[in-house]
Every structure is written in structure tokens, then in C-alpha cells.
Amino acid sequence: MKEITDIIKAYNEAVKAGRQSALATVVSVEGSSYRRPGARMLVTDDGMLTGAISGGCLEGDALRKALLVMQQQKPMLATYDTTDEDDAKLGVQLGCNGIVHILIEPINTADENNPVELLKIVTGKRRSAVIATLFSLQDRKAAQPGTCLLLTEDGVIKSACLQPELKEKLLRDMQAALQENRSAIKEYCSHTILTGFIELISPPVALILFGAGNDALPVMQMAAVLGWQLTVVDGRSNYATQQRFPLAQQVIIAKADTALAHVSFDTKTAVVLMTHNYNYDIALLQQLLPLQLPYTGVLGPRKKLDRMLHELEEKGMEITPQQLQSVYGPMGLDVGAETSEEIALSVLAEIKAVMAGSNGSPLRSKLHTIHSHI
């Protein structure tokens, strides 16, 4: 999501400066590649690039093609075949052993349904959305319809001019993508055979950090790099300040018994308890357990969490195995962390793994490909 928000910001600046732009999107991959479908890059007519479609090897050639697209005002499908070991003939050194299809679209600022305007709708709320992009793999010289349809989780539909039958089929597949929580590649028969990238876009992680001590500062910095939405909550007014946490979306001063009333939760919310105040943390944990959030992390040794749970049960609270499944204490992956920066890295890596449904193991131990195929 951070890539999308960076692209929107760069696009707004380009419009303000009166510059043309084009959007390059990875729409299909066969085999291995550095970026997967959904990776984007905005190109402006002065050669500025925002986002990335590869590890740096395709950007130069895509820039040249994007300038041509702006000139012709017609979408183009560019295909890079990296299965041939002689990458030199492409003018790039790839070595990814895959075929990458990239759709490059001119951005018409007068069109309220242009690709970047649709992305603005996606980022406007913390709700999932699906964007459909149509292209012709069979004939790259044929007309490429491009980004043409948006469906949000709350039912908002934005559409380019589409045949009613095609639009109906797309919307069915987009609704399925929302229900199944995954993107898909589909084929559609219009005048020709078209391929559709049905892309699910989910909101970024919302990290609620209870604790505004010095060890919370690197958590803020790393969360900002990842594009996560950060809220900092603490009962100490001299610690919980916007000056100390300038990269946080919210900084809240609240006692433990009222803190949760100031924040909201969804399926992409992670909570970290690191106030270094036992009574504050246990009061929060008591309120958080019934919510069964995707991730609730407790800083400190295992015996601290065990003590907290034992005390809550002694007070009459019934704690179920389901509630404990999403509680992580000690929180973080075992990376040998010692410093506050290393601890922040460990914790955020664990949150990312949990949100992605991954176990956080070394990639070299995987028996299959790194990325699942759409």
C-alpha cells in the first residue's frame, strides 16, 4: 500500500506542475520475477520514477516505453522474457527466469476514472477493494483496455466504458476475489480473448502501539518505512507527544481503562503492549483478549505474560484457547535482538509474517517457490 500512496502523491505533484504521466503495472508473471502482479511505477514526462516494477533492471526500458505511451496516448503491453540466459539482447540483466508482462497506461487527468483516481478511492478508506485490469496477451499490438473497473468492499463501483456482459462477468469475479481474499487472473471473451488481472488491494497494517518510551521510537520509524498506519497511546503526557512521534497518524494520552475507546480495530490491526507499566499492560490485555485481534504482542519474558494471564483468571476472567492463539509473548521473531532497534525489527517482522499467514522461517528452507501463483 505504501507504493500506491507514494504514486498518488507523485501524481498529484505532477498534475500541479502540469506534467504528463503514465502508470506501469505488472499484470502477469510466468515463472520467477522480482516483483509480482500488482507492482506499480508512475513515470512522469521529465523522467521521474515512483514505485518499482522490478529490482531495477526493467525500469530503464519501461521509462522509454512510458514516454512513448504518453506521446501516443495509447496503453501498451510490454513483455520481458527472462527465461533466456542471454539477457543482453534485452538490454537488461535480469536472471529471474520468468516472463513478466507490464501494462503501461497514459494517465488522462480529465478522466475521473483514470487508474490513479481509482487508486485514490482504494486508499480513502480502511476497506478492501478490487481493481480489474484488462489486456491482450494473445496480441500485444491489439488495443489494451487497461484499468477499467473498481469494486470496493462497501459496494462502490467505478467503471470505464465496458460492454454490459463483460462488466457483469468482471463484477462476479471481483466479488469472488473479495470473498476469497485473493487476487486472480481470468480470461474473458469479448471481440477478442482478453486476460483480466483481478487485483485485491487490502488496507495497510494499522499498528496500535501502547507505550511511548524511547524503545517505541524505532518502532515508529520502521512502521513508517513500511507504510503502516501508526497510533501511539500512553498515559504519560510528557511522553505521548506529536513532537516525539511525528510519523504517527495519532498520538493519544489516555488511562488504561479508557484507552480502547479512543482507537478502532479491524482485521488488519496489530496491537503491541510495551508501556513498561505492568498494571497498565494487564488492564489493556483484559480488554483486548475478547476482541481476538490478528496480533496482540506483549513485550517481556514469557513469565510476565503467564503471570498476567494467571491473575486475570484469578479475577474470574475465562480465557479461551482461541483468544490465546493471537497473543504473542514474548513478541517478535528470534533474530538475536538486543538493542531497541533490533527488537523493533524482530517485532515488526513477526507482525508482517502473521498478517501474511507466513511462519517467518528462512526462505532457503522453503521447498516450493517464494510467492504463491495467482
Side-chain angles (χ1 to χ4, degrees):
M1 184 62 79
K2 184 177 186 299
E3 185 168 72
I4 291 177
T5 55
D6 288 345
I7 284 171
I8 291 172
K9 180 181 178 181
Y11 169 75
N12 289 338
E13 291 173 354
V15 171
K16 188 176 180 180
R19 295 199 172 278
Q20 286 187 297
S21 60
L23 185 67
T25 306
V26 178
V27 290
S28 180
V29 170
E30 302 164 44
S32 177
S33 71
Y34 185 81
R35 298 297 307 271
R36 305 302 296 170
R40 291 179 172 85
M41 179 177 73
L42 185 78
V43 182
T44 54
D45 58 11
D46 59 348
M48 294 295 294
L49 308 178
T50 304
I53 52 173
S54 74
C57 45
L58 298 182
E59 277 71 6
D61 189 70
L63 167 60
R64 290 189 290 273
K65 288 182 169 63
L67 293 174
L68 180 62
V69 162
M70 286 180 237
Q71 182 182 13
Q72 297 179 343
Q73 287 297 298
K74 187 172 70 173
M76 173 193 300
L77 185 69
T79 297
Y80 298 91
D81 186 350
T82 71
T83 58
D84 191 332
E85 293 182 0
D86 184 16
D87 295 335
K89 66 184 181 184
L90 292 175
V92 291
Q93 282 70 49
L94 298 168
C96 291
N97 199 31
I99 300 174
V100 185
H101 303 282
I102 297 171
L103 184 68
I104 306 174
E105 303 173 83
I107 306 300
N108 179 4
T109 57
D111 182 4
E112 64 178 11
N113 292 325
N114 75 49
V116 180
E117 292 298 334
L118 295 185
L119 291 175
K120 288 182 182 180
I121 296 173
V122 172
T123 59
K125 295 182 180 179
R126 285 196 56 81
R127 303 297 296 271
S128 294
V130 179
I131 287 182
T133 303
L134 292 174
F135 51 97
S136 174
L137 279 176
Q138 292 188 343
D139 184 3
R140 286 189 296 158
K141 294 183 179 180
Q144 304 291 340
T147 305
C148 57
L149 192 58
L150 165 74
L151 173 64
T152 68
E153 197 174 5
D154 46 4
V156 174
I157 298 174
K158 287 284 187 176
S159 172
C161 185
L162 290 170
Q163 296 176 359
E165 184 179 350
L166 176 58
K167 182 177 178 179
E168 184 180 343
K169 290 179 181 178
L170 281 167
L171 285 172
R172 270 201 309 268
D173 289 333
M174 294 167 79
Q175 189 64 53
L178 281 172
Q179 293 171 352
E180 298 169 9
N181 196 37
R182 59 175 298 175
S183 300
I185 299 288
K186 301 283 186 176
E187 282 197 349
Y188 302 92
C189 185
S190 184
H191 297 301
T192 61
I193 300 296
L194 292 173
T195 301
F197 175 35
I198 310 301
E199 180 188 9
L200 176 74
I201 303 178
S202 298
V205 173
L207 178 60
I208 301 177
L209 173 58
F210 289 98
N214 290 341
D215 57 349
L217 297 175
V219 175
M220 172 197 66
Q221 293 161 347
M222 293 183 193
V225 169
L226 293 170
W228 294 3
Q229 294 179 354
L230 177 65
T231 298
V232 178
V233 185
D234 200 300
R236 300 167 293 180
S237 58
N238 58 326
Y239 279 78
T241 68
Q242 199 69 55
Q243 290 73 26
R244 276 172 55 77
F245 294 92
L247 302 178
Q249 277 68 42
Q250 279 187 296
V251 179
I252 297 168
I253 304 168
K255 295 181 179 180
D257 57 349
T258 62
L260 267 60
H262 297 277
V263 295
S264 57
F265 306 95
D266 57 35
T267 57
K268 297 282 287 183
T269 299
V271 170
V272 169
L273 304 182
M274 50 189 303
T275 67
H276 301 280
N277 183 319
Y278 182 86
N279 292 329
Y280 197 104
D281 282 354
I282 193 172
L284 287 171
L285 185 61
Q286 182 175 8
Q287 301 170 69
L288 290 166
L289 281 170
L291 301 180
Q292 292 185 236
L293 299 172
Y295 183 97
T296 299
V298 181
L299 183 68
R302 186 181 305 276
K303 62 182 181 181
K304 174 189 173 182
L305 176 59
D306 291 341
R307 177 187 168 191
M308 294 167 77
L309 295 172
H310 179 68
E311 288 185 13
L312 290 175
E313 287 177 324
E314 282 191 329
K315 290 179 180 179
M317 183 176 184
E318 182 180 352
I319 301 174
T320 67
Q322 290 75 22
Q323 290 173 345
L324 291 177
Q325 281 182 352
S326 59
V327 177
Y328 295 80
M331 62 180 180
L333 298 182
D334 185 4
V335 295
E338 294 288 346
T339 66
S340 58
E341 291 80 9
E342 292 168 348
I343 292 170
L345 173 65
S346 166
V347 172
L348 269 61
E350 182 177 55
I351 294 172
K352 169 59 184 172
V354 169
M355 293 297 185
S358 173
N359 59 14
S361 61
L363 289 175
R364 70 175 185 177
S365 66
K366 289 182 72 76
L367 299 178
H368 306 291
T369 57
I370 295 174
H371 300 286
S372 59
H373 293 287
I374 295 175

